[in-house]
């Protein structure tokens, strides 16, 4: 191939790319708009054209996590049915779809995601930490009953009980304690569950948790 022909082919390739890339970018924008407004037809068009069900938006939010965040449940069902879906793909903050559903108390979706293989236990923050931070005790209960580690440690060594004591429902705190959550454990800031409750102005809860920690057998 002569130099002139090679240059011509390179130029032709660049022209094609210049025409295709803007259209592809527009398709992505349309796809994420369809996800946000629960437009299952728009999402199906993207997928039927070869679009990736694991595609993340510019903020690093995978489509499934975005759908659950925006309560776009028809779209979430379409994505969940895709064989190529990577169900535990994390967002930019390291959160999985299961973690976000657990935080929002979306009990039906928590169960559907786990049925499709979403990991209940993982390194670092877990779905149980997120469920405990929300207000849905039924999700906390269900995850533990499915084998979630009740005293799972986050990267800063916080436990689900600590998160429930600071942010969650008092019923979640009571239930976790009744199931054996360790009230004595401390995180990297030397805070236990009673300290978490106290930091949120939940003084009565803090007193109860402190009393339980003091009465518990010494740690070995």
């Amino acid at each position: 191939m002569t130099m002139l022909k090679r240059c011509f082919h390179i130029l032709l390739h660049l022209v094609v790319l210049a025409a295709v890339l803007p259209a592809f970018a527009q398709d992505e924008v349309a796809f994420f708009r369809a996800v946000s407004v629960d437009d299952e037809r728009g999402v199906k068009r993207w997928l039927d054209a070869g679009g990736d069900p694991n595609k993340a938006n510019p903020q690093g939010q995978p489509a499934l996590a975005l759908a659950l965040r925006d309560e776009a449940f028809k779209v979430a069902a379409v994505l969940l049915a895709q064989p190529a879906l990577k169900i535990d793909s994390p967002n930019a903050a390291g959160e999985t779809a299961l973690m976000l559903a657990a935080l929002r108390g979306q009990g039906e979706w928590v169960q559907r995601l786990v049925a499709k293989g979403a990991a209940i236990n993982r390194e670092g923050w877990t779905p149980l930490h997120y469920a405990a931070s929300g207000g849905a005790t039924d999700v906390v209960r269900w995850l533990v009953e499915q084998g979630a580690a009740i005293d799972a440690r986050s990267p800063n060594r916080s436990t689900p009980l600590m998160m429930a004591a600071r942010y969650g429902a008092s019923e979640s705190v009571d239930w976790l304690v009744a199931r054996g959550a360790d009230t004595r454990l401390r995180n990297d800031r030397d805070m236990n569950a009673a300290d978490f409750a106290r930091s949120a102005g939940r003084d009565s809860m803090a007193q109860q948790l402190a009393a339980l920690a003091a009465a518990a057998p010494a740690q070995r």
Side-chain angles (χ1 to χ4, degrees):
M1 181 182 294
T2 66
M3 180 63 70
L4 182 61
K5 286 184 177 180
R6 185 176 295 110
C7 291
F8 174 78
H9 282 288
I10 292 172
L11 180 61
L12 181 62
H13 181 67
L14 292 174
V15 169
V16 171
L17 280 178
V20 170
L21 288 178
F24 185 72
Q26 290 174 6
D27 286 345
E28 284 190 12
V29 171
F31 168 63
F32 285 112
R33 185 181 299 115
V35 171
S36 293
V37 300
D38 207 15
D39 177 8
E40 59 183 323
R41 292 183 179 179
V43 169
K44 286 179 179 177
R45 283 196 295 272
W46 160 271
L47 295 170
D48 290 344
D52 182 3
N54 304 297
K55 186 69 180 177
N57 69 6
Q59 292 72 45
Q61 196 81 264
L64 180 60
L66 185 64
L68 293 173
R69 187 198 72 182
D70 293 342
E71 298 187 353
F73 297 132
K74 290 185 292 185
V75 163
V78 171
L79 293 169
L80 196 62
Q82 299 303 305
L85 180 71
K86 297 176 181 177
I87 201 164
D88 283 325
S89 290
N91 64 16
E95 302 162 324
T96 65
L98 179 57
M99 293 164 72
L100 296 176
L103 177 64
R104 293 172 178 273
Q106 297 166 346
E108 177 187 348
W109 277 96
V110 166
Q111 295 186 33
R112 291 178 71 170
L113 291 165
V114 171
K116 281 287 189 175
I120 291 177
N121 291 307
R122 63 196 300 271
E123 291 294 321
W125 294 104
T126 69
L128 185 57
H129 282 100
Y130 274 56
S133 300
T137 302
D138 60 319
V139 175
V140 171
R141 182 184 303 116
W142 189 85
L143 286 170
V144 173
E145 290 173 347
Q146 302 309 305
I150 200 166
D151 286 325
R153 296 296 196 113
S154 74
N156 68 1
R157 307 292 289 167
S158 295
T159 66
L161 178 60
M162 295 175 193
M163 304 308 292
R166 176 69 173 83
Y167 305 104
S170 59
E171 292 82 1
S172 296
V173 172
D174 293 341
W175 192 86
L176 287 166
V177 169
R179 286 299 294 260
D182 196 335
T183 56
R184 302 163 300 176
L185 296 177
R186 293 183 175 275
N187 68 4
D188 289 348
R189 296 180 62 190
D190 199 32
M191 294 176 68
N192 63 12
D195 296 323
F196 269 71
R198 193 173 296 109
S199 70
R202 305 170 93 170
D203 295 335
S204 177
M205 180 188 293
Q207 291 174 3
Q208 293 173 4
L209 289 169
L212 289 169
Q219 291 176 296
R220 295 181 178 179

